[in-house]
Amino acid sequence: DCVEHCGPQAASTYAPQLLQGVVESLNDPESDAELIQAAVYGLAQISRNAPNALSARLGQDLLMKIYNLCSNTPKSEADDSALFENAVSCMGSLALFKGAPLFDSIPDKGTLAKSFLAGLPLEEDFDEAKVCHDGLCDMVDMGLVDIKAEYNDLLRIIGDILSFVTEGDEVASESTCARLLGIIDQIQQTV
């Protein structure tokens, strides 16, 4: 909580301790799903709030573990949807979003981006969903998601997000919804 909610000074102070627990939990084959979920969530918070606590080498090792959590099982078949969604969010926060600590050290983000898209939309944790759905818009703006190649997935994801919002689920902010509608306009003009 200190890394997530108490500001930059607290984040940089407590992130190394949290990171040690994250590494231990993700490397321990005896860790249960609840502990792994907490570790993955903690890693996402470190990525966003204390990215300097994460070395490139350790970050890439952890990213591979996170990628495996996201890519080994389709979202619809995941035993623990909260863990799966936390892993998708963590992957974006580690490597795909603006300011991600590993963004510059991974030249080809195509495989990660496809896995990220396959995990969307998020709906379990509204705060994580908002971060990821806004991050999706940034990825489209930066050209990490090719509208021509991924328009079917984008239409599915955007349709689901807007449907959830219409039903009262706060999975995207008003500004993100406007950006998503802009992506639909881009798809109509491009495809």
PDB file of all heavy atoms in Angstrom, residues 26 51-52 56 59 64 74-75 107 120 130 144 149 155 170:
ATOM      1  N   LEU A  26       7.461 -15.216  -6.532  1.00  0.00           N
ATOM      2  CA  LEU A  26       7.372 -15.686  -7.915  1.00  0.00           C
ATOM      3  C   LEU A  26       8.357 -16.811  -8.214  1.00  0.00           C
ATOM      4  O   LEU A  26       8.148 -17.571  -9.163  1.00  0.00           O
ATOM      5  CB  LEU A  26       7.583 -14.518  -8.888  1.00  0.00           C
ATOM      6  CG  LEU A  26       6.477 -13.469  -8.890  1.00  0.00           C
ATOM      7  CD1 LEU A  26       6.819 -12.329  -9.841  1.00  0.00           C
ATOM      8  CD2 LEU A  26       5.129 -14.082  -9.242  1.00  0.00           C
ATOM      9  N   PRO A  51       9.777   2.843 -10.465  1.00  0.00           N
ATOM     10  CA  PRO A  51      10.426   2.066 -11.528  1.00  0.00           C
ATOM     11  C   PRO A  51      11.938   1.965 -11.376  1.00  0.00           C
ATOM     12  O   PRO A  51      12.543   0.979 -11.832  1.00  0.00           O
ATOM     13  CB  PRO A  51      10.046   2.808 -12.804  1.00  0.00           C
ATOM     14  CG  PRO A  51       9.658   4.175 -12.372  1.00  0.00           C
ATOM     15  CD  PRO A  51       9.120   4.038 -10.984  1.00  0.00           C
ATOM     16  N   ASN A  52      12.570   2.916 -10.710  1.00  0.00           N
ATOM     17  CA  ASN A  52      14.024   2.864 -10.533  1.00  0.00           C
ATOM     18  C   ASN A  52      14.470   1.766  -9.582  1.00  0.00           C
ATOM     19  O   ASN A  52      15.650   1.431  -9.540  1.00  0.00           O
ATOM     20  CB  ASN A  52      14.550   4.226 -10.060  1.00  0.00           C
ATOM     21  CG  ASN A  52      14.395   5.288 -11.123  1.00  0.00           C
ATOM     22  OD1 ASN A  52      14.339   4.990 -12.317  1.00  0.00           O
ATOM     23  ND2 ASN A  52      14.302   6.533 -10.701  1.00  0.00           N
ATOM     24  N   ALA A  56      17.177  -3.561 -15.000  1.00  0.00           N
ATOM     25  CA  ALA A  56      16.744  -4.101 -16.295  1.00  0.00           C
ATOM     26  C   ALA A  56      16.806  -5.625 -16.297  1.00  0.00           C
ATOM     27  O   ALA A  56      15.892  -6.288 -16.785  1.00  0.00           O
ATOM     28  CB  ALA A  56      17.584  -3.520 -17.421  1.00  0.00           C
ATOM     29  N   GLY A  59      14.136  -7.012 -13.993  1.00  0.00           N
ATOM     30  CA  GLY A  59      12.859  -6.706 -14.626  1.00  0.00           C
ATOM     31  C   GLY A  59      12.544  -7.645 -15.774  1.00  0.00           C
ATOM     32  O   GLY A  59      11.415  -8.126 -15.908  1.00  0.00           O
ATOM     33  N   MET A  64       9.373 -12.246 -17.884  1.00  0.00           N
ATOM     34  CA  MET A  64       9.158 -13.577 -18.466  1.00  0.00           C
ATOM     35  C   MET A  64       8.183 -14.397 -17.618  1.00  0.00           C
ATOM     36  O   MET A  64       7.326 -15.100 -18.153  1.00  0.00           O
ATOM     37  CB  MET A  64      10.487 -14.323 -18.624  1.00  0.00           C
ATOM     38  CG  MET A  64      11.346 -13.785 -19.750  1.00  0.00           C
ATOM     39  SD  MET A  64      10.489 -13.711 -21.355  1.00  0.00           S
ATOM     40  CE  MET A  64       9.994 -15.404 -21.589  1.00  0.00           C
ATOM     41  N   PRO A  74      -5.612 -19.251 -22.088  1.00  0.00           N
ATOM     42  CA  PRO A  74      -6.522 -18.192 -22.552  1.00  0.00           C
ATOM     43  C   PRO A  74      -7.329 -17.632 -21.375  1.00  0.00           C
ATOM     44  O   PRO A  74      -7.609 -18.335 -20.406  1.00  0.00           O
ATOM     45  CB  PRO A  74      -7.441 -18.912 -23.544  1.00  0.00           C
ATOM     46  CG  PRO A  74      -6.751 -20.181 -23.885  1.00  0.00           C
ATOM     47  CD  PRO A  74      -5.881 -20.531 -22.721  1.00  0.00           C
ATOM     48  N   LYS A  75      -7.683 -16.353 -21.483  1.00  0.00           N
ATOM     49  CA  LYS A  75      -8.420 -15.678 -20.403  1.00  0.00           C
ATOM     50  C   LYS A  75      -9.664 -16.461 -19.999  1.00  0.00           C
ATOM     51  O   LYS A  75      -9.949 -16.623 -18.825  1.00  0.00           O
ATOM     52  CB  LYS A  75      -8.796 -14.266 -20.840  1.00  0.00           C
ATOM     53  CG  LYS A  75      -9.536 -13.478 -19.786  1.00  0.00           C
ATOM     54  CD  LYS A  75      -9.853 -12.072 -20.225  1.00  0.00           C
ATOM     55  CE  LYS A  75     -10.554 -11.319 -19.119  1.00  0.00           C
ATOM     56  NZ  LYS A  75     -10.822  -9.945 -19.469  1.00  0.00           N
ATOM     57  N   PRO A 107      13.105  -4.072 -27.634  1.00  0.00           N
ATOM     58  CA  PRO A 107      12.899  -3.468 -28.952  1.00  0.00           C
ATOM     59  C   PRO A 107      11.659  -3.994 -29.688  1.00  0.00           C
ATOM     60  O   PRO A 107      10.965  -3.235 -30.334  1.00  0.00           O
ATOM     61  CB  PRO A 107      14.187  -3.799 -29.714  1.00  0.00           C
ATOM     62  CG  PRO A 107      14.815  -4.928 -28.973  1.00  0.00           C
ATOM     63  CD  PRO A 107      14.330  -4.863 -27.563  1.00  0.00           C
ATOM     64  N   LEU A 120      -7.431  -8.595 -22.598  1.00  0.00           N
ATOM     65  CA  LEU A 120      -8.379  -7.495 -22.404  1.00  0.00           C
ATOM     66  C   LEU A 120      -9.777  -7.876 -22.850  1.00  0.00           C
ATOM     67  O   LEU A 120      -9.937  -8.753 -23.690  1.00  0.00           O
ATOM     68  CB  LEU A 120      -7.910  -6.266 -23.181  1.00  0.00           C
ATOM     69  CG  LEU A 120      -6.610  -5.627 -22.719  1.00  0.00           C
ATOM     70  CD1 LEU A 120      -6.289  -4.414 -23.574  1.00  0.00           C
ATOM     71  CD2 LEU A 120      -6.642  -5.245 -21.252  1.00  0.00           C
ATOM     72  N   LYS A 130      -8.923   0.524 -15.384  1.00  0.00           N
ATOM     73  CA  LYS A 130      -8.769   1.896 -15.886  1.00  0.00           C
ATOM     74  C   LYS A 130      -7.354   2.141 -16.385  1.00  0.00           C
ATOM     75  O   LYS A 130      -7.153   2.731 -17.454  1.00  0.00           O
ATOM     76  CB  LYS A 130      -9.130   2.908 -14.795  1.00  0.00           C
ATOM     77  CG  LYS A 130     -10.613   3.005 -14.520  1.00  0.00           C
ATOM     78  CD  LYS A 130     -10.874   3.968 -13.380  1.00  0.00           C
ATOM     79  CE  LYS A 130     -12.342   3.954 -13.007  1.00  0.00           C
ATOM     80  NZ  LYS A 130     -12.601   4.766 -11.815  1.00  0.00           N
ATOM     81  N   LEU A 144       2.109   0.773 -31.187  1.00  0.00           N
ATOM     82  CA  LEU A 144       2.431  -0.569 -30.702  1.00  0.00           C
ATOM     83  C   LEU A 144       1.345  -1.576 -31.067  1.00  0.00           C
ATOM     84  O   LEU A 144       1.592  -2.774 -31.071  1.00  0.00           O
ATOM     85  CB  LEU A 144       2.629  -0.576 -29.186  1.00  0.00           C
ATOM     86  CG  LEU A 144       3.851   0.137 -28.649  1.00  0.00           C
ATOM     87  CD1 LEU A 144       3.881   0.072 -27.130  1.00  0.00           C
ATOM     88  CD2 LEU A 144       5.120  -0.468 -29.219  1.00  0.00           C
ATOM     89  N   ALA A 149      -4.053  -4.601 -38.490  1.00  0.00           N
ATOM     90  CA  ALA A 149      -3.866  -6.016 -38.183  1.00  0.00           C
ATOM     91  C   ALA A 149      -4.723  -6.480 -37.004  1.00  0.00           C
ATOM     92  O   ALA A 149      -5.121  -7.643 -36.947  1.00  0.00           O
ATOM     93  CB  ALA A 149      -2.393  -6.294 -37.890  1.00  0.00           C
ATOM     94  N   LEU A 155     -11.984  -4.011 -31.776  1.00  0.00           N
ATOM     95  CA  LEU A 155     -13.441  -3.815 -31.755  1.00  0.00           C
ATOM     96  C   LEU A 155     -14.094  -4.647 -30.651  1.00  0.00           C
ATOM     97  O   LEU A 155     -14.999  -4.166 -29.959  1.00  0.00           O
ATOM     98  CB  LEU A 155     -14.050  -4.136 -33.120  1.00  0.00           C
ATOM     99  CG  LEU A 155     -13.715  -3.144 -34.235  1.00  0.00           C
ATOM    100  CD1 LEU A 155     -14.243  -3.654 -35.579  1.00  0.00           C
ATOM    101  CD2 LEU A 155     -14.271  -1.757 -33.924  1.00  0.00           C
ATOM    102  N   GLU A 170     -17.139   0.694 -13.580  1.00  0.00           N
ATOM    103  CA  GLU A 170     -16.178   1.774 -13.813  1.00  0.00           C
ATOM    104  C   GLU A 170     -14.832   1.219 -14.270  1.00  0.00           C
ATOM    105  O   GLU A 170     -13.808   1.394 -13.613  1.00  0.00           O
ATOM    106  CB  GLU A 170     -16.025   2.613 -12.550  1.00  0.00           C
ATOM    107  CG  GLU A 170     -17.312   3.316 -12.162  1.00  0.00           C
ATOM    108  CD  GLU A 170     -17.166   4.132 -10.893  1.00  0.00           C
ATOM    109  OE1 GLU A 170     -16.046   4.576 -10.585  1.00  0.00           O
ATOM    110  OE2 GLU A 170     -18.185   4.311 -10.222  1.00  0.00           O
TER     111      GLU A 170
END
